[in-house]
């Protein structure tokens, strides 16, 4: 049984928080992370805060085995630091075929004018992906620093599925940053759809139980490229929507929730559920609320509008920073 978690806008929708919540609420057997270090997932739990760029956010549950997919790209320094910060040494598996970003990839991106024009995070991900396509990128099993962690992640994940286990597949970035389906050329260097995430892991579409598309209650975008309904800075401040990027610290651009964009992302990902985060940013009186009944009338109306427009149930509603600041309506919608 697989739950796939993907972003529906331009990244930073709160996928990390949702994956971490699912790991605590559902106690899956495993969680597998795709993508690379350009994507930062923030996890706030129990008074601590982590900014993860390589590890699955599901690490917060110590019983969950963690995987880095064959199609993912890692950077040794970033990954080793995260391993020591989270203490997951004995339950981490890095696929032998994960690609490794080296210093030359980072220097290339930081000096290349095309990458600068796109507003790339400059983390070497696109350059390493290009080398992988040219079949000259080094893979994880070539690095002795990773010796104790290397495995065949796909065969372990398939075994978990054969035993009837549960797996969370953690996507990175958002639908409109997809290399194929996003706002090219202002996109990242990979496809960010649910299908592509499965392909990075090696799992087939019929193994999926739930596709959870995560939207924030408003849109943010870092870097260049179109953003329908973009607010100017004063308006962002007035509405309390000012955010900074996890990886780069850049100010995020912001716009109101856009049903048209959301609908395309929902349909293209074959979403079965929607997670809606940061409802407390739009309706502050709902901060840390944990039941539907306690939401304000305006917040309920906003959520119902999204549900009616997208024709997919909003099952998880984020009401605060902490992983557990969530309203979980999956039982109500008979999804669990
Ligand atoms: P790159 O993937 O680092 O080359 O960046 C290309 C574009 O995607 C830039 O506009 C980045 O800001 C954006 N981007 C890449 N990864 C993320 C992410 O995880 N969250 C939000 N934006 C991202
Ligand atoms: Mg992020």
């Amino acid at each position: 049984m697989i739950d796939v978690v993907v972003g529906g806008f331009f990244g930073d929708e709160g996928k990390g928080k949702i994956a971490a919540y699912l790991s605590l609420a559902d106690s899956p057997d495993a969680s597998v992370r795709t993508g690379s270090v350009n994507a930062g997932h923030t996890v706030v739990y129990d008074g601590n805060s982590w900014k993860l760029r390589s590890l699955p956010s599901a690490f917060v549950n110590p019983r969950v085995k963690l995987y880095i997919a064959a199609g993912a790209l890692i950077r040794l320094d970033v990954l080793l630091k995260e391993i020591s910060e989270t203490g997951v040494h004995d339950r981490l598996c890095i696929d032998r075929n994960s690609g490794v970003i080296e210093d030359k990839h980072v220097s290339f991106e930081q000096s290349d004018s095309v990458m600068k024009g796109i507003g790339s995070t400059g983390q070497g991900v696109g350059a390493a992906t290009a080398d992988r396509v040219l079949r000259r990128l080094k893979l994880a099993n070539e690095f002795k620093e990773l010796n104790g962690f290397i495995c065949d992640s796909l065969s372990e994940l398939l075994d978990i599925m054969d035993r009837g286990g549960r797996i969370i597949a953690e996507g990175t970035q958002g639908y409109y940053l997809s290399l194929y389906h996003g706002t090219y050329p202002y996109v990242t260097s990979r496809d960010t759809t649910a299908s592509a995430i499965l392909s990075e892991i090696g799992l087939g579409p019929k193994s999926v139980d739930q596709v959870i598309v995560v939207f924030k209650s408003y849109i943010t975008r870092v870097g260049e490229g179109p953003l329908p309904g973009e607010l100017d800075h004063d308006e962002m401040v007035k509405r309390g929507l000012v955010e900074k990027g996890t990886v780069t610290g850049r100010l995020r651009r912001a716009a109101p929730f856009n049903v048209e964009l959301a609908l395309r992302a929902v349909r293209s990902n074959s979403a079965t559920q929607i997670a809606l985060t940061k409802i407390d940013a739009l309706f502050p009186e709902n901060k840390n609320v944990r039941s539907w009944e306690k939401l304000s009338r305006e917040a309920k109306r906003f959520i119902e509008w999204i549900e009616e427009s997208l024709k997919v149930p909003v099952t998880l509603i984020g009401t605060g920073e902490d992983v557990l600041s969530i309203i979980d309506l999956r039982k109500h919608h008979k999804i669990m």
Side-chain angles (χ1 to χ4, degrees):
M1 182 166 169
I2 302 177
D3 287 359
V4 185
V5 180
V6 288
F9 284 143
F10 298 88
D12 307 312
E13 301 92 350
K15 293 172 296 294
K17 176 202 165 103
I18 297 298
Y21 171 75
L22 295 176
S23 87
L24 293 172
D26 301 352
S27 265
D29 300 273
S31 189
V32 51
R33 161 100 189 228
T34 59
S36 191
V37 292
N38 44 2
H41 292 174
T42 305
V43 177
V44 179
Y45 177 53
D46 212 12
N48 291 306
S49 170
W50 294 269
K51 291 188 184 308
L52 300 172
R53 297 167 59 193
S54 321
L55 294 175
S57 302
F59 89 94
V60 292
N61 182 341
R63 288 184 298 278
V64 176
K65 178 127 198 224
L66 308 175
Y67 291 86
I68 293 180
L73 297 178
I74 56 173
R75 230 172 79 185
L76 291 190
D77 53 344
V78 175
L79 177 61
L80 294 171
K81 186 162 161 270
E82 280 179 25
I83 294 173
S84 80
E85 282 170 3
T86 52
V88 298
H89 304 75
D90 54 353
R91 57 186 174 108
L92 173 65
C93 151
I94 301 167
D95 193 274
R96 57 193 183 191
N97 291 338
S98 302
V100 177
I101 301 169
E102 296 191 81
D103 291 344
K104 62 182 176 190
H105 300 119
V106 180
S107 347
F108 172 81
E109 288 202 350
Q110 297 194 346
S111 58
D112 182 74
S113 61
V114 172
M115 297 302 278
K116 281 189 182 156
I118 289 168
S120 170
T121 62
Q123 297 299 304
V125 182
T129 301
D131 271 356
R132 184 152 196 172
V133 173
L134 295 170
R135 281 138 298 167
R136 60 188 188 194
L137 186 72
K138 288 191 180 158
L139 302 186
N141 64 2
E142 296 175 61
F143 291 82
K144 62 178 185 325
E145 298 90 325
L146 302 177
N147 264 348
F149 300 113
I150 298 296
C151 72
D152 174 351
S153 70
L154 180 59
S155 74
E156 291 193 21
L157 292 166
L158 291 171
D159 287 347
I160 291 174
M161 292 207 335
D162 285 348
R163 291 197 304 270
R166 186 164 194 156
I167 297 166
I168 301 174
E170 299 187 24
T172 47
Q173 300 145 332
Y175 186 78
Y176 291 94
L177 291 177
S178 163
L179 181 60
Y180 306 138
H181 310 293
T183 56
Y184 189 89
Y186 303 103
V187 293
T188 191
S189 47
R190 59 194 277 274
D191 185 12
T192 54
T193 58
S195 316
I197 278 148
L198 290 170
S199 151
E200 280 185 27
I201 301 169
L203 295 168
K206 285 182 84 173
S207 50
V208 174
D209 190 52
Q210 297 293 326
V211 178
I212 303 169
V213 176
V214 186
F215 295 110
K216 196 153 55 181
S217 299
Y218 52 100
I219 307 180
T220 57
R221 172 164 207 171
V222 279
E224 303 305 314
L227 177 57
E230 181 163 7
L231 302 168
D232 64 28
H233 188 72
D234 288 349
E235 195 57 31
M236 277 167 60
V237 174
K238 205 164 93 193
R239 300 192 192 190
L241 307 182
V242 178
E243 292 181 16
K244 278 190 178 158
T246 309
V247 174
T248 54
R250 288 180 293 186
L251 205 62
R252 291 179 181 154
R253 299 154 61 197
F257 192 96
N258 183 309
V259 166
E260 218 174 291
L261 291 182
L263 188 57
R264 187 176 170 92
V266 157
R267 295 172 74 203
S268 177
N269 280 306
S270 34
T272 60
Q273 300 177 53
I274 290 166
L276 187 67
T277 61
K278 286 200 140 182
I279 194 84
D280 56 301
L282 296 193
F283 310 102
E285 67 279 16
N286 296 282
K287 184 132 189 115
N288 300 326
V289 161
R290 300 230 30 208
S291 73
W292 173 262
E293 292 69 31
K294 293 204 173 111
L295 283 174
S296 66
R297 194 183 312 160
E298 292 72 23
K300 282 183 187 159
R301 212 179 290 143
F302 178 73
I303 296 160
E304 283 163 352
W305 168 65
I306 288 175
E307 214 159 45
E308 281 155 24
S309 313
L310 305 182
K311 312 245 177 323
V312 175
V314 175
T315 52
L316 299 163
I317 302 162
T319 56
E321 282 194 308
D322 192 275
V323 168
L324 295 179
S325 290
I326 264 192
I327 301 172
D328 185 345
L329 300 173
R330 290 180 297 168
K331 280 210 182 86
H332 169 79
H333 287 287
K334 300 195 170 50
I335 279 169
M336 286 180 76

